[in-house]
């Protein structure tokens, strides 16, 4: 289980967008990567489609490896490590290792 989930707010730890925060829009669990809103923009060639008659070069968020991301806790608003607890019924919950808030 990845420590980051869709709709988490995360902070970028390295790379050109280091220090930025954004919301996770999409997770690619197979490659441990995530798309974060406003982070890691990359130019991409787009083919003309029926929906987009312009085609050409577009800029959009490129996936970033989750090891470069840290979850920002809703409870204490700090970037934090996430712990995982297994409840009595077997379900997993994530919690902030700094303030113990369940995320
Ligand atoms: Zn916290």
């Amino acid at each position: 289980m990845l420590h980051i989930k869709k709709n988490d707010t995360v902070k970028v730890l390295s790379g050109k967008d280091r220090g930025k925060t954004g919301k996770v829009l999409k997770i690619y669990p197979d490659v441990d990567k995530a798309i974060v809103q406003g982070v890691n923009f990359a130019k991409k060639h787009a083919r003309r489609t029926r929906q987009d008659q312009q085609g050409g070069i577009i800029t959009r968020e490129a996936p970033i490896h989750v090891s470069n991301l840290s979850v920002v806790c809703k409870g204490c608003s700090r970037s934090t490590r996430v712990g995982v607890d297994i409840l009595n019924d077997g379900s997993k919950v994530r919690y902030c290792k700094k303030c113990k808030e369940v995320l």
Side-chain angles (χ1 to χ4, degrees):
M1 167 166 153
L2 289 178
H3 62 288
I4 287 171
K5 288 200 300 195
K6 193 177 169 186
N7 293 327
D8 276 351
T9 299
V10 294
K11 186 172 184 180
V12 182
L13 301 177
S14 64
K16 65 181 161 82
D17 287 326
R18 184 175 169 176
K20 277 192 190 175
T21 57
K23 196 171 89 166
V24 176
L25 301 179
K26 193 171 163 96
I27 299 272
Y28 298 95
D30 296 345
V31 290
D32 293 347
K33 286 185 173 180
I35 299 267
V36 183
Q37 193 167 44
V39 168
N40 202 29
F41 275 105
K43 285 198 171 113
K44 194 177 170 185
H45 290 271
R47 208 177 275 186
R48 280 185 203 202
T49 62
R50 234 170 256 242
Q51 291 79 30
D52 175 14
Q53 290 296 325
Q54 290 222 299
I57 296 171
I58 54 167
T59 51
R60 59 168 303 166
E61 292 96 337
I64 185 166
H65 199 270
V66 294
S67 66
N68 294 325
L69 301 172
S70 168
V71 174
V72 176
C73 173
K74 287 179 290 200
C76 61
S77 302
R78 290 180 290 185
S79 68
T80 185
R81 288 186 171 275
V82 172
V84 177
D85 255 347
I86 298 171
L87 302 180
N88 291 333
D89 66 0
S91 63
K92 289 179 184 170
V93 292
R94 303 181 312 158
Y95 65 94
C96 168
K97 283 196 173 171
K98 286 181 179 159
C99 72
K100 307 301 178 196
E101 174 93 3
V102 172
L103 300 172

